Amino acid sequence: MRKILMQDVAVIFDMDGLLIDSEPFWSQVEIEIFNDLGILLNESMTSQTTGLRNDEVVKYW
């Protein structure tokens, strides 16, 4: 008798913070990138662009 093995395979994309709160990481990266470009941001300023798409954040700053 032949056994068929089934393997569950899944990928979870957590882009909206449902499983992991990634906002602190994004804020730090936002500060580093914009500071490197001469646009001086700090932690409190990043809250102004929370929830915006990347292209919207670039336009904003």
Side-chain angles (χ1 to χ4, degrees):
M1 178 158 52
R2 199 176 205 204
K3 281 189 178 182
I4 299 175
L5 299 175
M6 302 284 264
Q7 183 178 7
D8 293 334
V9 178
V11 176
I12 299 174
F13 292 97
D14 181 33
M15 301 300 284
D16 61 356
L18 180 66
L19 300 175
I20 298 171
D21 181 11
S22 57
E23 195 60 43
F25 300 109
W26 167 244
S27 292
Q28 187 58 42
V29 170
E30 184 178 4
I31 290 168
E32 289 176 22
I33 290 172
F34 282 103
N35 286 352
D36 286 349
L37 295 171
I39 300 167
L40 302 179
L41 299 182
N42 60 43
E43 187 75 30
S44 64
M45 294 168 74
T46 63
S47 65
Q48 297 174 47
T49 56
T50 298
L52 298 180
R53 294 188 323 257
N54 291 343
D55 63 320
E56 294 172 327
V57 173
V58 170
K59 279 184 183 179
Y60 186 91
W61 296 118

